[in-house]
Amino acid sequence: MNEFERQETLRKLFANAVNSPIETSDPDSKHIIDDDDLLLDWSTGDLAKEQHEAILDHLAACPSCRQEIAKMVQAGALVLPETDDSPETDDSPFVETTIPPGAPSPDRQRTPARNDRGPVVALLVVAAALLVAFIWSNSGGGGSETGRTLAMVQKELDAGRSVEAFNTLDELLNADTSLSGEEKARAIRLLEESGYRTARDRLANEDFSGVSRIEGTVAERSEPSARLLNLRIQAERGETKEHSLSGRTSLTRDYGYERDGQRVIKDFTFPQITPTIKRITKELREAVAQHPDSLDLRLNLGQFLLEQSDFARAAEQFAEAVRIDPSSALAETGLGLALFRQDKPETIEKALPHFRRAVELEPDNRETNENLAVCLMRLGRTEGASAYFKKGER
Protein backbone atom coordinates (compact mmCIF):
# COMPACT_ATOMS: atom_id res chain seq x y z
CA MET A 1 0.00 0.00 0.00
CA ASN A 2 1.53 3.30 -1.07
CA GLU A 3 1.28 6.60 0.82
CA PHE A 4 -1.71 7.87 -1.15
CA GLU A 5 -3.68 4.65 -0.67
CA ARG A 6 -2.88 4.60 3.02
CA GLN A 7 -4.08 8.20 3.51
CA GLU A 8 -7.30 7.44 1.66
CA THR A 9 -7.90 4.40 3.85
CA LEU A 10 -7.32 6.46 7.00
CA ARG A 11 -9.75 9.13 5.82
CA LYS A 12 -12.43 6.52 5.14
CA LEU A 13 -11.94 4.93 8.56
CA PHE A 14 -12.48 8.17 10.41
CA ALA A 15 -15.15 9.44 8.05
CA ASN A 16 -17.09 6.37 9.10
CA ALA A 17 -16.26 7.04 12.76
CA VAL A 18 -17.57 10.62 12.56
CA ASN A 19 -20.64 10.06 10.42
CA SER A 20 -21.96 6.64 11.46
CA PRO A 21 -24.28 6.00 14.43
CA ILE A 22 -22.58 5.21 17.72
CA GLU A 23 -22.31 1.49 18.20
CA THR A 24 -23.65 -0.02 21.40
CA SER A 25 -20.81 -0.84 23.77
CA ASP A 26 -20.59 -3.80 26.05
CA PRO A 27 -21.75 -2.37 29.44
CA ASP A 28 -19.32 -4.66 31.25
CA SER A 29 -16.29 -3.54 29.24
CA LYS A 30 -13.91 -0.78 30.30
CA HIS A 31 -13.69 1.99 27.70
CA ILE A 32 -11.31 4.93 27.56
CA ILE A 33 -14.20 7.32 26.92
CA ASP A 34 -15.49 6.51 30.43
CA ASP A 35 -12.20 7.50 32.10
CA ASP A 36 -12.34 11.30 32.57
CA ASP A 37 -8.91 11.45 34.23
CA LEU A 38 -7.28 9.54 31.38
CA LEU A 39 -8.88 11.81 28.77
CA LEU A 40 -7.72 14.91 30.68
CA ASP A 41 -4.15 13.58 30.89
CA TRP A 42 -4.26 12.79 27.18
CA SER A 43 -5.49 16.31 26.40
CA THR A 44 -2.72 17.95 28.46
CA GLY A 45 0.02 15.66 27.14
CA ASP A 46 0.67 14.05 30.54
CA LEU A 47 0.34 10.42 29.49
CA ALA A 48 3.14 7.97 30.07
CA LYS A 49 4.34 6.07 27.01
CA GLU A 50 2.62 2.89 28.23
CA GLN A 51 -0.68 4.74 28.69
CA HIS A 52 -0.48 6.23 25.20
CA GLU A 53 0.18 2.83 23.67
CA ALA A 54 -2.72 1.37 25.64
CA ILE A 55 -5.04 4.04 24.23
CA LEU A 56 -3.93 3.27 20.68
CA ASP A 57 -4.40 -0.45 21.27
CA HIS A 58 -7.89 0.16 22.61
CA LEU A 59 -8.88 2.46 19.75
CA ALA A 60 -7.63 -0.09 17.25
CA ALA A 61 -9.91 -2.74 18.75
CA CYS A 62 -12.91 -0.65 19.84
CA PRO A 63 -15.02 1.00 17.10
CA SER A 64 -17.41 2.61 19.61
CA CYS A 65 -14.56 4.46 21.33
CA ARG A 66 -13.17 5.55 17.95
CA GLN A 67 -16.56 6.99 17.12
CA GLU A 68 -16.97 8.73 20.47
CA ILE A 69 -13.43 10.19 20.46
CA ALA A 70 -13.82 11.42 16.89
CA LYS A 71 -17.08 13.19 17.73
CA MET A 72 -15.63 14.69 20.93
CA VAL A 73 -12.67 16.15 19.04
CA GLN A 74 -14.86 17.43 16.24
CA ALA A 75 -17.18 19.15 18.75
CA GLY A 76 -14.25 20.66 20.64
CA ALA A 77 -15.03 18.71 23.82
CA LEU A 78 -11.63 17.00 23.68
CA VAL A 79 -8.42 18.74 22.62
CA LEU A 80 -5.50 16.44 21.84
CA PRO A 81 -1.81 17.44 21.87
CA GLU A 82 0.34 17.45 18.79
CA THR A 83 2.57 14.44 18.30
CA ASP A 84 6.35 14.26 18.29
CA ASP A 85 7.98 15.76 15.20
CA SER A 86 11.57 14.65 15.77
CA PRO A 87 13.33 13.07 12.79
CA GLU A 88 13.48 9.34 12.36
CA THR A 89 16.19 7.07 10.97
CA ASP A 90 15.79 4.22 8.55
CA ASP A 91 15.58 1.70 11.39
CA SER A 92 13.11 3.79 13.39
CA PRO A 93 10.27 1.75 14.94
CA PHE A 94 7.80 4.41 13.76
CA VAL A 95 5.65 4.70 10.68
CA GLU A 96 6.13 8.00 8.84
CA THR A 97 2.86 9.72 7.99
CA THR A 98 1.97 12.88 6.12
CA ILE A 99 -0.35 15.34 7.85
CA PRO A 100 -3.31 16.65 5.84
CA PRO A 101 -3.09 20.30 4.72
CA GLY A 102 -4.20 22.80 7.35
CA ALA A 103 -3.57 20.58 10.36
CA PRO A 104 -1.98 22.41 13.34
CA SER A 105 1.11 20.22 13.44
CA PRO A 106 4.52 19.80 11.74
CA ASP A 107 4.82 18.45 8.21
CA ARG A 108 5.61 14.99 9.46
CA GLN A 109 4.64 12.87 12.46
CA ARG A 110 5.86 9.67 13.96
CA THR A 111 3.35 7.08 15.05
CA PRO A 112 4.12 3.76 16.75
CA ALA A 113 3.73 0.83 14.37
CA ARG A 114 2.94 -2.65 15.68
CA ASN A 115 4.28 -4.78 12.82
CA ASP A 116 3.77 -8.02 14.73
CA ARG A 117 -0.02 -7.63 14.73
CA GLY A 118 -0.66 -7.73 11.04
CA PRO A 119 -1.31 -4.97 8.49
CA VAL A 120 -4.94 -4.31 9.48
CA VAL A 121 -4.30 -3.79 13.22
CA ALA A 122 -1.17 -1.76 12.51
CA LEU A 123 -3.16 0.44 10.16
CA LEU A 124 -5.85 1.01 12.77
CA VAL A 125 -3.25 2.00 15.33
CA VAL A 126 -1.84 4.55 12.90
CA ALA A 127 -5.37 5.73 12.16
CA ALA A 128 -6.02 6.35 15.85
CA ALA A 129 -2.86 8.43 16.13
CA LEU A 130 -3.91 10.54 13.11
CA LEU A 131 -7.30 11.38 14.60
CA VAL A 132 -6.58 15.04 15.32
CA ALA A 133 -5.12 15.72 11.91
CA PHE A 134 -8.09 14.14 10.19
CA ILE A 135 -10.70 16.01 12.19
CA TRP A 136 -8.87 19.30 11.59
CA SER A 137 -8.70 18.88 7.84
CA ASN A 138 -12.31 17.72 7.48
CA SER A 139 -14.14 20.08 9.87
CA GLY A 140 -12.25 23.34 9.43
CA GLY A 141 -10.98 23.43 12.99
CA GLY A 142 -9.38 21.33 15.67
CA GLY A 143 -7.28 21.34 18.78
CA SER A 144 -5.81 24.68 19.74
CA GLU A 145 -3.16 25.90 22.12
CA THR A 146 -5.85 27.78 24.02
CA GLY A 147 -7.88 24.59 24.41
CA ARG A 148 -4.88 22.82 25.88
CA THR A 149 -4.22 25.76 28.21
CA LEU A 150 -7.81 25.66 29.48
CA ALA A 151 -7.56 21.90 29.99
CA MET A 152 -4.39 22.40 32.04
CA VAL A 153 -6.13 25.13 34.08
CA GLN A 154 -8.97 22.73 34.87
CA LYS A 155 -6.39 20.20 35.98
CA GLU A 156 -4.79 22.80 38.28
CA LEU A 157 -8.19 23.55 39.80
CA ASP A 158 -8.95 19.87 40.33
CA ALA A 159 -5.61 19.55 42.12
CA GLY A 160 -6.42 22.50 44.43
CA ARG A 161 -3.95 24.92 42.82
CA SER A 162 -6.40 27.79 42.38
CA VAL A 163 -3.75 30.55 42.53
CA GLU A 164 -1.81 29.10 39.60
CA ALA A 165 -5.03 28.59 37.64
CA PHE A 166 -6.18 32.15 38.30
CA ASN A 167 -2.86 33.69 37.23
CA THR A 168 -2.74 31.64 34.03
CA LEU A 169 -6.27 32.66 33.08
CA ASP A 170 -5.64 36.33 33.88
CA GLU A 171 -2.60 36.33 31.59
CA LEU A 172 -4.49 34.46 28.86
CA LEU A 173 -7.43 36.87 28.85
CA ASN A 174 -5.14 39.88 29.08
CA ALA A 175 -2.86 38.85 26.22
CA ASP A 176 -4.99 36.89 23.75
CA THR A 177 -7.58 38.88 21.81
CA SER A 178 -8.17 36.10 19.28
CA LEU A 179 -10.12 33.74 21.54
CA SER A 180 -13.26 32.28 20.06
CA GLY A 181 -16.54 33.04 21.78
CA GLU A 182 -16.69 29.57 23.31
CA GLU A 183 -13.07 29.70 24.49
CA LYS A 184 -13.54 33.12 26.06
CA ALA A 185 -16.72 32.06 27.83
CA ARG A 186 -15.00 28.98 29.23
CA ALA A 187 -11.96 30.99 30.30
CA ILE A 188 -14.16 33.51 32.12
CA ARG A 189 -16.05 30.74 33.92
CA LEU A 190 -12.78 29.21 35.07
CA LEU A 191 -11.44 32.64 36.06
CA GLU A 192 -14.46 33.22 38.32
CA GLU A 193 -14.16 29.78 39.90
CA SER A 194 -10.42 30.01 40.51
CA GLY A 195 -10.81 33.60 41.71
CA TYR A 196 -13.51 32.60 44.17
CA ARG A 197 -11.43 29.79 45.64
CA THR A 198 -8.36 32.00 45.90
CA ALA A 199 -10.29 34.92 47.42
CA ARG A 200 -11.90 32.64 49.99
CA ASP A 201 -8.46 31.50 51.12
CA ARG A 202 -7.24 35.11 51.18
CA LEU A 203 -10.20 36.07 53.39
CA ALA A 204 -9.46 33.29 55.88
CA ASN A 205 -5.84 34.49 56.06
CA GLU A 206 -6.93 38.13 56.58
CA ASP A 207 -5.45 39.25 53.25
CA PHE A 208 -8.37 41.61 52.72
CA SER A 209 -6.70 43.73 50.02
CA GLY A 210 -5.97 40.55 48.06
CA VAL A 211 -9.68 39.68 48.10
CA SER A 212 -10.57 43.09 46.68
CA ARG A 213 -7.95 42.81 43.90
CA ILE A 214 -9.26 39.42 42.81
CA GLU A 215 -12.88 40.59 42.78
CA GLY A 216 -11.88 43.64 40.73
CA THR A 217 -9.97 41.55 38.21
CA VAL A 218 -12.90 39.20 37.62
CA ALA A 219 -15.36 42.12 37.39
CA GLU A 220 -13.21 43.69 34.66
CA ARG A 221 -13.33 40.51 32.58
CA SER A 222 -17.01 39.71 32.87
CA GLU A 223 -20.22 40.41 34.75
CA PRO A 224 -19.71 40.91 38.53
CA SER A 225 -19.71 37.65 40.49
CA ALA A 226 -22.18 37.56 43.40
CA ARG A 227 -20.02 35.32 45.57
CA LEU A 228 -16.88 37.33 44.89
CA LEU A 229 -18.76 40.55 45.61
CA ASN A 230 -19.86 38.99 48.88
CA LEU A 231 -16.26 38.12 49.77
CA ARG A 232 -15.11 41.66 48.99
CA ILE A 233 -17.74 43.15 51.30
CA GLN A 234 -16.76 40.65 53.98
CA ALA A 235 -13.16 41.80 53.55
CA GLU A 236 -14.24 45.42 54.01
CA ARG A 237 -15.92 44.40 57.24
CA GLY A 238 -12.77 42.67 58.46
CA GLU A 239 -14.53 39.31 58.50
CA THR A 240 -12.63 36.09 57.92
CA LYS A 241 -15.64 33.89 57.11
CA GLU A 242 -17.68 33.73 53.94
CA HIS A 243 -20.84 33.77 56.08
CA SER A 244 -20.66 35.90 59.20
CA LEU A 245 -23.61 34.05 60.70
CA SER A 246 -21.57 30.85 60.83
CA GLY A 247 -19.66 32.39 63.74
CA ARG A 248 -22.67 34.00 65.48
CA THR A 249 -25.43 31.44 65.75
CA SER A 250 -25.79 30.71 69.48
CA LEU A 251 -28.43 32.37 71.67
CA THR A 252 -26.54 31.33 74.79
CA ARG A 253 -23.04 32.24 73.62
CA ASP A 254 -23.52 35.15 71.24
CA TYR A 255 -26.75 36.82 72.27
CA GLY A 256 -26.70 36.65 76.07
CA TYR A 257 -29.55 34.21 76.78
CA GLU A 258 -29.45 31.87 79.77
CA ARG A 259 -30.63 28.29 79.74
CA ASP A 260 -33.93 29.45 81.21
CA GLY A 261 -34.56 31.50 78.10
CA GLN A 262 -34.01 34.89 79.74
CA ARG A 263 -31.49 37.55 78.75
CA VAL A 264 -28.55 38.15 81.05
CA ILE A 265 -28.35 41.86 80.21
CA LYS A 266 -31.76 43.49 80.71
CA ASP A 267 -30.80 46.99 79.57
CA PHE A 268 -29.64 46.39 76.04
CA THR A 269 -27.96 49.34 74.33
CA PHE A 270 -28.51 49.67 70.59
CA PRO A 271 -25.23 49.84 68.66
CA GLN A 272 -24.07 53.17 67.35
CA ILE A 273 -24.65 53.48 63.59
CA THR A 274 -21.34 54.81 62.31
CA PRO A 275 -20.63 56.11 58.78
CA THR A 276 -18.81 52.85 58.07
CA ILE A 277 -21.83 50.79 59.12
CA LYS A 278 -24.08 52.97 56.97
CA ARG A 279 -21.77 52.56 53.97
CA ILE A 280 -21.52 48.77 54.30
CA THR A 281 -25.28 48.43 54.84
CA LYS A 282 -25.88 50.44 51.67
CA GLU A 283 -23.34 48.36 49.77
CA LEU A 284 -24.91 45.10 50.93
CA ARG A 285 -28.38 46.29 49.98
CA GLU A 286 -27.18 47.32 46.51
CA ALA A 287 -25.43 43.97 46.08
CA VAL A 288 -28.62 42.11 47.06
CA ALA A 289 -30.64 44.23 44.63
CA GLN A 290 -28.15 43.33 41.89
CA HIS A 291 -28.09 39.62 42.85
CA PRO A 292 -31.46 38.91 44.52
CA ASP A 293 -30.98 35.14 44.47
CA SER A 294 -27.56 35.12 46.13
CA LEU A 295 -27.76 33.10 49.34
CA ASP A 296 -24.40 34.46 50.51
CA LEU A 297 -25.43 38.10 50.25
CA ARG A 298 -28.84 37.51 51.85
CA LEU A 299 -27.27 35.72 54.81
CA ASN A 300 -24.69 38.43 55.40
CA LEU A 301 -27.11 41.33 55.03
CA GLY A 302 -29.47 39.60 57.45
CA GLN A 303 -26.69 39.05 59.97
CA PHE A 304 -25.46 42.63 59.58
CA LEU A 305 -28.98 43.88 60.33
CA LEU A 306 -29.11 41.58 63.35
CA GLU A 307 -25.97 43.27 64.66
CA GLN A 308 -27.77 46.61 64.34
CA SER A 309 -30.84 45.20 66.18
CA ASP A 310 -32.93 45.79 63.05
CA PHE A 311 -34.67 42.48 63.65
CA ALA A 312 -37.72 42.90 61.41
CA ARG A 313 -35.63 43.74 58.32
CA ALA A 314 -33.18 40.98 59.23
CA ALA A 315 -36.10 38.53 59.27
CA GLU A 316 -37.05 39.64 55.75
CA GLN A 317 -33.57 38.84 54.45
CA PHE A 318 -33.41 35.46 56.17
CA ALA A 319 -36.88 34.56 54.87
CA GLU A 320 -35.57 35.22 51.35
CA ALA A 321 -32.51 33.09 52.14
CA VAL A 322 -34.81 30.21 53.17
CA ARG A 323 -36.71 30.65 49.91
CA ILE A 324 -33.48 30.51 47.92
CA ASP A 325 -32.18 27.43 49.74
CA PRO A 326 -34.64 25.55 52.00
CA SER A 327 -31.81 23.18 52.97
CA SER A 328 -29.66 25.93 54.50
CA ALA A 329 -29.35 25.52 58.28
CA LEU A 330 -27.79 28.99 58.47
CA ALA A 331 -30.82 30.55 56.78
CA GLU A 332 -33.24 28.77 59.14
CA THR A 333 -31.11 29.70 62.16
CA GLY A 334 -30.90 33.34 61.08
CA LEU A 335 -34.66 33.57 60.59
CA GLY A 336 -35.22 31.96 63.99
CA LEU A 337 -32.84 34.43 65.65
CA ALA A 338 -34.40 37.46 63.95
CA LEU A 339 -37.91 36.41 65.05
CA PHE A 340 -36.89 35.33 68.55
CA ARG A 341 -35.03 38.54 69.29
CA GLN A 342 -38.06 40.69 68.53
CA ASP A 343 -39.01 39.42 72.01
CA LYS A 344 -42.75 39.16 71.50
CA PRO A 345 -44.75 36.02 72.35
CA GLU A 346 -46.02 35.74 68.77
CA THR A 347 -42.58 36.18 67.15
CA ILE A 348 -40.95 33.74 69.58
CA GLU A 349 -43.65 31.22 68.65
CA LYS A 350 -42.92 31.86 64.97
CA ALA A 351 -39.20 31.30 65.60
CA LEU A 352 -39.77 27.79 66.98
CA PRO A 353 -40.35 25.91 63.66
CA HIS A 354 -37.24 27.51 62.16
CA PHE A 355 -35.08 26.38 65.08
CA ARG A 356 -36.62 22.91 64.72
CA ARG A 357 -35.85 22.88 61.01
CA ALA A 358 -32.23 23.91 61.70
CA VAL A 359 -31.91 20.92 64.06
CA GLU A 360 -33.36 18.63 61.38
CA LEU A 361 -30.77 19.90 58.92
CA GLU A 362 -27.85 19.74 61.40
CA PRO A 363 -28.88 17.32 64.16
CA ASP A 364 -25.40 17.09 65.66
CA ASN A 365 -24.75 20.83 65.77
CA ARG A 366 -24.49 22.03 69.37
CA GLU A 367 -25.71 25.54 68.67
CA THR A 368 -28.81 24.55 66.69
CA ASN A 369 -29.84 22.26 69.57
CA GLU A 370 -29.20 24.95 72.21
CA ASN A 371 -31.15 27.56 70.24
CA LEU A 372 -34.15 25.25 70.05
CA ALA A 373 -33.84 24.49 73.77
CA VAL A 374 -33.75 28.19 74.72
CA CYS A 375 -36.77 28.90 72.52
CA LEU A 376 -38.72 26.05 74.15
CA MET A 377 -37.76 27.31 77.61
CA ARG A 378 -38.95 30.79 76.72
CA LEU A 379 -42.29 29.33 75.68
CA GLY A 380 -42.54 27.40 78.97
CA ARG A 381 -41.95 23.95 77.45
CA THR A 382 -39.24 22.95 79.88
CA GLU A 383 -39.59 19.19 79.51
CA GLY A 384 -38.92 19.26 75.79
CA ALA A 385 -36.09 21.74 76.19
CA SER A 386 -33.94 19.56 78.45
CA ALA A 387 -33.47 16.91 75.77
CA TYR A 388 -32.04 19.46 73.34
CA PHE A 389 -29.77 20.95 75.97
CA LYS A 390 -28.38 17.46 76.54
CA LYS A 391 -27.85 16.95 72.80
CA GLY A 392 -26.01 20.27 72.73
CA GLU A 393 -23.68 19.11 75.48
CA ARG A 394 -22.42 16.09 73.55
Side-chain angles (χ1 to χ4, degrees):
M1 180 181 296
N2 61 34
E3 180 65 22
F4 176 78
E5 292 171 334
R6 182 163 56 125
Q7 290 295 328
E8 286 301 305
T9 301
L10 297 180
R11 290 178 185 277
K12 289 177 183 179
L13 280 171
F14 278 102
N16 290 335
V18 172
N19 297 318
S20 62
I22 299 296
E23 296 185 10
T24 303
S25 301
D26 182 354
D28 297 324
S29 300
K30 185 175 181 181
H31 296 274
I32 62 171
I33 58 171
D34 298 324
D35 192 335
D36 292 339
D37 291 335
L38 183 66
L39 292 178
L40 183 58
D41 286 342
W42 190 13
S43 178
T44 57
D46 289 338
L47 288 180
K49 180 180 179 182
E50 294 77 12
Q51 290 177 301
H52 188 261
E53 291 180 352
I55 285 179
L56 296 183
D57 287 346
H58 184 85
L59 287 175
C62 182
S64 65
C65 278
R66 287 202 303 275
Q67 291 170 337
E68 288 281 9
I69 292 294
K71 290 179 182 294
M72 289 170 69
V73 174
Q74 188 177 44
L78 177 65
V79 180
L80 301 183
E82 297 174 5
T83 56
D84 185 8
D85 63 337
S86 55
E88 59 270 11
T89 59
D90 292 340
D91 58 350
S92 169
F94 291 88
V95 174
E96 183 180 285
T97 60
T98 302
I99 305 305
S105 52
D107 291 336
R108 306 181 88 78
Q109 285 182 322
R110 299 196 310 159
T111 306
R114 300 298 185 87
N115 297 324
D116 58 332
R117 305 195 182 194
V120 175
V121 173
L123 183 60
L124 287 173
V125 172
V126 175
L130 284 174
L131 179 62
V132 180
F134 175 81
I135 295 297
W136 180 276
S137 62
N138 284 274
S139 64
S144 68
E145 186 63 32
T146 299
R148 285 188 286 277
T149 298
L150 294 177
M152 292 178 67
V153 165
Q154 183 63 65
K155 197 169 184 179
E156 293 280 9
L157 271 176
D158 293 342
R161 296 189 288 270
S162 60
V163 176
E164 292 85 345
F166 182 80
N167 290 337
T168 299
L169 289 162
D170 186 32
E171 292 175 3
L172 176 67
L173 289 167
N174 186 54
D176 197 334
T177 58
S178 62
L179 299 179
S180 68
E182 184 178 345
E183 288 172 337
K184 187 173 182 179
R186 184 183 177 194
I188 287 174
R189 286 195 300 271
L190 289 171
L191 182 76
E192 194 274 345
E193 177 63 32
S194 59
Y196 165 69
R197 296 187 193 183
T198 303
R200 190 177 53 188
D201 292 340
R202 293 278 193 273
L203 191 74
N205 292 320
E206 301 184 17
D207 180 7
F208 301 133
S209 61
V211 174
S212 296
R213 284 196 301 272
I214 291 169
E215 191 274 334
T217 297
V218 174
E220 287 177 3
R221 306 291 187 201
S222 62
E223 294 295 323
S225 161
R227 55 184 182 172
L228 276 167
L229 181 57
N230 176 67
L231 291 178
R232 177 174 66 75
I233 296 174
Q234 289 293 85
E236 291 179 5
R237 296 172 61 188
E239 294 282 355
T240 58
K241 295 179 181 293
E242 187 171 13
H243 304 118
S244 302
L245 192 66
S246 61
R248 298 179 176 85
T249 57
S250 171
L251 283 169
T252 57
R253 186 195 66 207
D254 300 313
Y255 297 107
Y257 286 88
E258 291 283 13
R259 293 167 72 96
D260 61 2
Q262 302 302 310
R263 280 193 61 85
V264 176
I265 303 173
K266 300 299 182 183
D267 298 323
F268 183 75
T269 302
F270 283 86
Q272 182 181 2
I273 306 300
T274 65
T276 298
I277 288 179
K278 287 182 179 180
R279 176 179 59 79
I280 292 176
T281 302
K282 181 175 182 290
E283 195 168 6
L284 274 168
R285 287 191 180 282
E286 290 175 348
V288 165
Q290 188 177 6
H291 304 281
D293 291 327
S294 169
L295 178 67
D296 300 337
L297 290 168
R298 293 282 186 181
L299 288 175
N300 285 332
L301 177 55
Q303 186 272 333
F304 200 51
L305 292 169
L306 269 182
E307 291 179 0
Q308 300 171 46
S309 297
D310 193 348
F311 305 129
R313 287 190 173 87
E316 293 173 359
Q317 295 302 320
F318 288 126
E320 284 298 306
V322 170
R323 176 190 64 78
I324 293 167
D325 185 2
S327 66
S328 170
L330 283 179
E332 293 285 3
T333 295
L335 184 51
L337 291 173
L339 291 168
F340 182 93
R341 294 193 66 201
Q342 292 181 48
D343 206 23
K344 301 173 185 177
E346 62 271 22
T347 58
I348 294 174
E349 187 74 46
K350 288 180 180 178
L352 184 61
H354 298 291
F355 286 139
R356 286 194 186 279
R357 176 60 176 158
V359 170
E360 290 176 6
L361 292 167
E362 294 187 351
D364 297 324
N365 185 297
R366 173 179 179 176
E367 291 160 346
T368 58
N369 281 280
E370 285 191 349
N371 289 341
L372 177 54
V374 169
C375 189
L376 288 168
M377 287 295 296
R378 191 66 182 273
L379 293 169
R381 305 174 193 179
T382 57
E383 186 175 341
S386 60
Y388 291 103
F389 273 125
K390 288 179 181 178
K391 285 187 68 174
E393 292 170 354
R394 294 177 185 173

